[in-house]
Amino acid sequence: SANEFSGGACEFSRIAGVTWRRADGTVAREGDRAPIADLATLPPYAFELLPPLSDYKKITGAEDGLVPIDSGRGCVFDCSFCTIGRFWNRRSRTLPAARLVDEVASLAAMPSARSAYLCHDLFGANRGQAIAFCDEMLRRGVRVPWEVRARADHLDRELLERMGRAGCYRVLIGVESADPEVRERNQKGMRDDVDMLAVVSDCAAAGIVPILSLILGLPGEEEPALRKSLDLCAAASLRAGVQISLHLVNPQPGCGLGDEFGARSRPIEGIPPDMALGAGETASERELIAAHPDLFTTWSLLPDDEAHLRDLAAIAQTLPDVLMRYPRTFALLRDARGVDALDLYRAWKATGKSFESFAIAARVPVIDETLRWEQAIVRASTRREPSMSGTGPRARGPRACGEVLEFEHDLSALARDPWPKSLTRSPTWLAIVPSSRGVQTVHVSRDVANLMRSLDGTTSRASLEERWPGIGSSLETLARAGLVSLES
């Protein structure tokens, strides 16, 4: 029997791989269980035994329909802040490519499932398996989108291009720090010659959104290293669609930092762990966490000056959103002041204003224009297409698909180049248009801008033709460019 009952107490002393607490409070750890050598021997997921995915989404409030799939186990690295490598004895196994494609393809028939999350931190470490998976997805014509986690030194242009064609739309890249010495101090094991900005650009070219994940406050990170990391985030944000994710480290048992600092680590009220946002905030929860520090290590932070930890937490919570919403405005402000990302952040926070108000207060025309443009991009990214029916005016004819703005400077250069050396001063009209690949900025003429502004869907195409004979061909051209919808 797996469980022995002796004197009313439940014993687990003969179950390999189990760690358990005895009645007297002491902890017992049994011997390791031999890992499954071939992951293909695992049975397929029995999703039919679970409630529909939509029921889970109702509880979480998530609408992405993301379904996790166990695509591999283990890690050969020993990063100081991570338990995975040691837990799996620094070994890594991947699900065979054909079997992984089976798992992803099965989601096409699952109601509410929209995409797959391949849960293995090392996609591309087994390059042969990664390429075989992409090729098999393409060969079978599987249309289920998927995302992964990977190391920057396992990604190159050829693999990313293959991933993009096979349906990968997002990849989380563990950077940890832009300073090679900090990475070395924390056993990241990443080559110093990896060009992170080139990886970001290669992701964008392949149609894949890169998420750069960095840890603030790692041992060895003095202020110059922090500046390097934030400058990397600011530079990367100027490249198409990058997402920034900043964290503080939790030195949990089983990782190097846990061994080194675990006994002195502690939770700090008001700084929740990334993986448990919204929890640990009530008095009863905090009491439970304080009573069992060995169980709730996720809340503990490295032993450091509390003011410094709170400063890092504030950066992690507020700066990524600004960089993702207003990357060019941030860069213009930084250049105008002659400072780096950290100093600009501190100058902004010292005012107590919103970032938008801080930018406007600079009273620099090109900064004002760039902010207006990026605000329009944010609006377009969240706007739903106007309804063709309902309580408002009934749509009867062509309508503009986006917003048109006029500027004194040619901001279209910012849409083409991560950071051009100069901006031409000349009247410019830009259309900000939602599309299947995100929000597009299109440089249009004054006549096209005026036409788009007049198309609100309430005037029929026949009426437009009567007013402007021959306009039909122009509308067709704008429709092909995604600037106008002709549906009625």
Side-chain angles (χ1 to χ4, degrees):
S1 172
N3 298 338
E4 291 184 3
F5 291 86
S6 176
C10 185
E11 295 284 338
F12 301 93
S13 59
R14 286 195 279 176
I15 305 178
V18 171
T19 299
W20 56 286
R21 192 186 295 274
R22 300 186 183 93
D24 62 3
T26 60
V27 174
R29 176 179 176 178
E30 305 302 326
D32 292 341
R33 178 178 298 177
I36 298 171
D38 183 3
L39 297 185
T41 61
L42 292 169
Y45 292 108
F47 286 121
E48 70 278 3
L49 301 179
L50 299 173
L53 178 64
S54 57
D55 289 358
Y56 291 97
K57 298 304 179 182
K58 288 177 184 176
I59 296 173
T60 63
E63 298 181 356
D64 55 11
L66 186 64
V67 181
I69 290 178
D70 188 9
S71 56
R73 298 179 182 180
C75 179
V76 300
F77 296 92
D78 187 27
C79 299
S80 69
F81 46 83
C82 183
T83 64
I84 295 175
R86 295 187 181 187
F87 182 87
W88 294 104
N89 294 318
R90 299 187 67 178
R91 295 185 179 181
S92 177
R93 294 155 293 148
T94 55
L95 198 65
R99 170 65 182 275
L100 182 54
V101 174
D102 291 341
E103 303 282 13
V104 175
S106 70
L107 301 185
M110 179 187 292
S112 300
R114 298 179 184 174
S115 56
Y117 170 36
L118 309 188
C119 298
H120 191 213
D121 289 350
L122 296 177
F123 189 86
N126 184 336
R127 187 179 178 83
Q129 183 260 5
I131 290 176
F133 167 72
C134 293
D135 289 349
E136 186 67 4
M137 288 281 287
L138 291 167
R139 188 187 71 80
R140 295 194 206 177
V142 178
R143 300 299 182 189
V144 177
W146 48 281
E147 63 176 84
V148 294
R149 301 163 70 101
R151 290 171 56 98
D153 45 4
H154 291 157
L155 300 173
D156 56 52
R157 186 174 303 174
E158 178 188 359
L159 178 57
L160 286 166
E161 192 276 336
R162 227 183 196 108
M163 291 164 59
R165 288 193 294 113
C168 180
Y169 65 93
R170 186 163 58 190
V171 56
L172 185 146
I173 305 172
V175 181
E176 324 316 347
S177 173
D179 190 300
E181 292 184 3
V182 175
R183 294 199 300 264
E184 183 178 0
R185 163 66 175 83
N186 292 277
Q187 295 100 248
K188 176 67 178 177
M190 189 169 80
R191 300 193 319 271
D192 293 346
D193 62 350
V194 174
D195 187 339
M196 280 307 312
L197 293 180
V199 174
V200 168
S201 294
D202 289 342
C203 286
I208 298 172
V209 174
I211 306 175
L212 300 189
S213 175
L214 291 89
I215 301 175
L216 305 184
L218 284 169
E221 182 193 72
E222 303 298 334
E223 188 167 285
L226 174 62
R227 291 179 183 277
K228 284 183 181 180
S229 288
L230 299 186
D231 283 345
L232 169 66
C233 293
S237 70
L238 294 170
R239 314 210 173 195
V242 70
Q243 296 179 7
I244 307 295
S245 183
L246 304 181
H247 315 272
L248 271 64
V249 68
N250 304 113
Q252 301 183 53
C255 70
L257 294 184
D259 294 343
E260 189 174 356
F261 299 105
R264 295 184 287 130
S265 298
R266 68 194 190 284
I268 295 181
E269 185 176 343
I271 305 181
D274 293 336
M275 301 304 292
L277 293 177
E281 297 178 355
T282 66
S284 60
E285 288 174 333
R286 290 197 297 271
E287 183 179 349
L288 185 66
I289 292 167
H292 301 282
D294 56 334
L295 296 181
F296 296 100
T297 55
T298 300
W299 271 262
S300 295
L301 299 174
L302 287 172
D304 199 347
D305 177 70
E306 183 172 329
H308 182 232
L309 290 173
R310 290 194 180 280
D311 184 41
L312 294 179
I315 293 172
Q317 292 165 8
T318 59
L319 185 58
D321 187 57
V322 166
L323 292 178
M324 290 186 286
R325 284 173 173 261
Y326 309 122
R328 300 170 184 87
T329 304
F330 189 92
L332 283 171
L333 282 166
R334 186 189 58 203
D335 287 357
R337 287 173 168 260
V339 297
D340 63 11
L342 179 58
D343 283 338
L344 183 62
Y345 165 83
R346 287 174 172 168
W348 158 42
K349 299 305 287 186
T351 66
K353 299 179 179 179
S354 68
F355 179 77
E356 294 87 344
S357 298
F358 174 67
I360 292 170
R363 300 186 182 278
V364 178
V366 71
I367 293 178
D368 290 345
E369 292 183 357
T370 303
L371 177 64
R372 282 201 298 125
W373 172 42
E374 293 190 314
Q375 287 176 317
I377 292 174
V378 172
R379 289 193 296 271
S381 67
T382 58
R383 183 187 300 125
R384 295 182 182 273
E385 285 297 314
S387 174
M388 304 304 286
S389 62
T391 58
R394 181 174 177 80
R396 299 183 299 166
R399 57 180 171 79
C401 293
E403 185 176 353
V404 179
L405 299 175
E406 180 179 353
F407 301 105
E408 295 180 5
H409 294 83
D410 184 9
L411 299 188
S412 59
L414 292 175
R416 297 189 302 268
D417 187 330
W419 199 239
K421 294 181 179 180
S422 61
L423 295 174
T424 304
R425 187 179 179 86
S426 64
T428 303
W429 292 264
L430 299 181
I432 296 86
V433 185
S435 72
S436 60
R437 292 178 62 87
V439 178
Q440 305 296 314
T441 295
V442 182
H443 190 180
V444 298
S445 68
R446 177 186 302 181
D447 290 341
V448 168
N450 290 335
L451 175 59
M452 290 183 65
R453 287 169 175 160
S454 70
L455 298 177
D456 60 2
T458 61
T459 305
S460 69
R461 187 168 177 176
S463 297
L464 291 172
E465 285 276 11
E466 184 178 343
R467 187 184 308 172
W468 295 300
I471 197 175
S473 61
S474 297
L475 292 174
E476 294 286 352
T477 299
L478 294 178
R480 287 193 294 271
L483 300 178
V484 168
S485 172
L486 301 180
E487 296 178 2
S488 60

